[in-house]
Amino acid sequence: MAGQTRINGETLVDRVCEFSRFARSALETAPTLRAWLASESASAWRTPWPEVTNCRSPDALATALRATRHRLMLHTIARDVSGAANFEEIVGSVTSLAKWSIPAARNWHAKALAREYGTPVDATTRTVAQSLITVGMGKLGGQELNVSSDIDLIFTFPDDGQTVGKRGASSIDNAHFFAKLAQRMSATLGEVRGDGFVFRVDTRLRPYGDEGPLAVSFDFLERYLVEQGRFWERLAWLRSASMTGELSARKQLSAMIRPFVYRRYVDYDAYEGLRDLHGKIRAEGHRNGGERNVKLGRGGIRELEFFVQVQQLVRGGRAPALQLRTTIPAIAALEAAHVFTPAQAQGLRDAYPFLRRVEHFLQYENDAQTQILPNESADLCALAHAMGFASEDEFAGALTRTRTFVAAQFDNLAQSQPTAGTISAANPAAQISEFSGDSSAAFAGFNAPEEAQRYFQALRTTQKFATLPATSQARMRTLLAALPATCAASAAPLAALKRWGDLLEAICGRSAYLALLAEHAALLTPITRVLAASGWAAEFLRDHPILLDELLDARSRNARFDPIDALLRLQSQLTAATDTEAKLDTLRRFQQTALFGILLEDLDGRRTIEALSDDLSALADVVVEAALQEIWREIAPQFAFPKFAVIAYGRWGGKELGYGSDLDLVFLVNDDVRFDLCAKLAQRLQSWLTTTTTAGQLYEIDTRLRPDGASGMLLTGLTAFNQYQTEKAWLWEHQALSRARFAAGDAQVGTAFEAIRKKVLQTPKSAPQVLTEINAMRARMASEKAKKSAGFDVKNDPGGMVDIEFIVQALVLLHAPAHPFLIENKGNIALLNYAAATGLLKNATAAIPAAQISVLSDIYRHYRAFQHQARLAGLNSAIAAAEDFSAQRAQVRAAWQHVLG
């Protein structure tokens, strides 16, 4: 857009009058405003709002409001014509007028009505005064009113009841009282008089439109939205804001509206809603000036706003950061969420203020609610010059480019997305929406084609699908048509097909998930790859289908898990959560999303077993840390976070977590903390981690490694912990300490714990006692884990993982005093490699062959990989064939003999 040269004083006023008939007429009617305008237009609107509570009549009130509006309009036109004001200032000034004048009219008329009828109160106690909630919709709710805007208002109130007042006052029910109040407010604001109007008032967005009551109770409104609320009403309520009413009632209304606008899951049904509106929007634009209408025409303001709002609806239920009412900030939030590309977001940020500014200049001329470009070239040229363009052609080119860009975004969203019956995919079978599954050729690529065909036929005819709504059935037929060819191209066709069946049966009742798959045919291949690769992943996806959306997000496949960034994002999401239930769900969704991203990289072969465990352990650290901080804010927000730490033990402590691993933990506190509050913190953390909500469960936890085990106190002070570890702890507890670390909470307590741990592990121990007790402990474990299958239990059987872990722990207990590296909790593989490199001794006389220790790290890695694959396959234990790993088992047992005798 061309640059705008700023002009000032009398010259600016002349320019304003030249362009705007409204301004010329207003200044001729009130000549004293000319000098005021020449002076005040140099700065943003700052005139204080006049006091209107003392107006003695409705006419005086209306006059005062209109006089203020005239001044603001003149000021706004001058600021815009001079180029001194940006888009945000212009719409902000007009919105501020509405936010002042609506409560002013409401307060004045409410007092007058109360004198006549008394005060509205609730029906139950008849003591709680009721107030009218005036809801600004659309551009008013979004704080971006145009300069000659209608205001869309909905009037509602908390509770049905009647008025009560002085003796002799007529009593009426609240609905009639507030309807009268709404009528009087609307007249004061919108009636066109000789001195104009304040805002034209439109109340047709209320339940049932013109046929519905003018003011409705919260119960009435909620029933209507639940039973009859339509897609376009979700878009309307997305940009709603209460202008009047008590704060508590306004919060109650907001909480009621939010679930109507934003679904708790990724809402791909919104695309279908937009498609239904697409033709209607274009038809309305055609009826109202066609391409000349910069609001309703193709590529106009409404298409841009709807494009942004639909994207908010799709993901806003899961991402509170997207729940914004104002367009430009919403574009930025969608860019930050990677819904819009940077180029797309910048294009929209440029387009919206430009189109709105064109709209404003069309309205400046006659103070008319118009968005129609003039027909005459002279008028277009005047418009172009007023906006700072050198010529009509320059303006027309900028407008055409802008609208073409907007139309392309809107069309791509509303039309290029495949409909339920026409999903496209790379394989021909996906084009057949009524595919019957009778052709055996469709299953020729399967390892068991006849079994696959029988399963598919049964899946197609299952009663669960037959009872779906028509739209969902159409989507389901389309998806089923694509499955044979898609699964045949995978690594495990039959397994993938059966897991698809389980997934579709789990999600078929949620139309949004079917819509997601229908809208994004490209998802079928990566989903199939996940399902074919892992039974555990298939179950995880089936139990948490909301994660299907993560397959659209390139970040979940390309970025290594970053615990610092993750913690900041999680804390931000928890801050936006409104109550404990929402916070629990937020934690679970975040953990599931992060875990699924790690899983995708794992299945793509881009993670070593060590890196995978590091990431899963870091994820647990992040979740526990964020939960701790949030819980404390609920328990004792008046106090700083206490000297409280979570100590990770076992696989979590050793950073060797796998999918579905439990968390072994101990709670440590400084000696001077409030034990009652810290105990509540620990108990609440356990509840937050283990409670199953609609979003699932976070982790199973085990606190039995604390001093004195299950019979001990849940919290342990540092002094008591130190005394226990140095005076009372069993050797196996020192073994456990070798794989313990500070994970979350207060870092000073974590440092104190680490000092105790190092002191205990570096204290020289009797070698015979270490060897005897570790052998006895291993024998007890073997007895408890008696063989239940003919195969080799990679974890628990002799020669397995536990043997290697005990060898490492024996090395730590025996040699940590001389080798501080052993207590650094670097993980079993790193410690074994260190032992090989340094040639650690069994005792003073018998050396352990370095090569024999070195090979243990490779064996341990292979065992963990096998265990990991068993977990991915959906198995609870890793059982190999009896003859498998025979050489490795022998090497482990030989190493055991060298180290532990």
Side-chain angles (χ1 to χ4, degrees), residues 29 63 80 124 127-128 231 267 336 358 374 421 475 512 534 543 560 565 638 643 662 736 771 788 815-816 839 852:
T29 303
T63 299
D80 210 350
T124 304
T127 59
V128 180
F231 176 73
D267 184 17
V358 174
R475 288 169 175 162
S534 168
D543 293 340
R560 176 77 186 266
D565 174 69
Q638 71 274 29
K643 300 297 182 182
D662 297 349
L771 301 178
K788 298 178 181 178
H815 300 291
Q852 196 161 16

Side-chain angles (χ1 to χ4, degrees), residues 471-487:
T471 301
S472 293
Q473 286 195 36
R475 288 169 175 162
M476 184 63 71
R477 288 194 299 270
T478 300
L479 293 171
L480 289 173
L483 288 189
T486 304
C487 293

Side-chain angles (χ1 to χ4, degrees), residues 628 641-649 665-671 673 675 678-679 681-682 685 705-707 713-725 737 740-757:
L628 273 179
F641 190 83
K643 300 297 182 182
F644 176 107
V646 175
I647 307 302
Y649 274 73
L665 55 86
V666 168
F667 300 117
L668 284 187
V669 295
N670 212 38
D671 294 334
V673 299
F675 267 72
C678 288
L681 175 60
L685 178 66
L705 287 174
R706 65 187 186 267
M713 299 287 290
L714 185 61
L715 290 182
T716 306
L718 283 169
T719 300
F721 183 78
N722 178 54
Q723 183 177 11
Y724 180 85
Q725 290 293 340
L737 203 61
R741 63 182 176 85
F742 165 69
D746 182 76
Q748 291 184 17
V749 177
T751 300
F753 161 76
E754 185 60 24
I756 295 170
R757 191 181 80 88

Side-chain angles (χ1 to χ4, degrees), residues 174-185:
N174 290 351
H176 282 92
F177 180 93
F178 289 123
K180 289 178 180 290
L181 178 53
Q183 288 169 342
R184 295 186 186 185
M185 289 173 59

Side-chain angles (χ1 to χ4, degrees), residues 406 684 743:
V406 171
R684 190 80 60 86

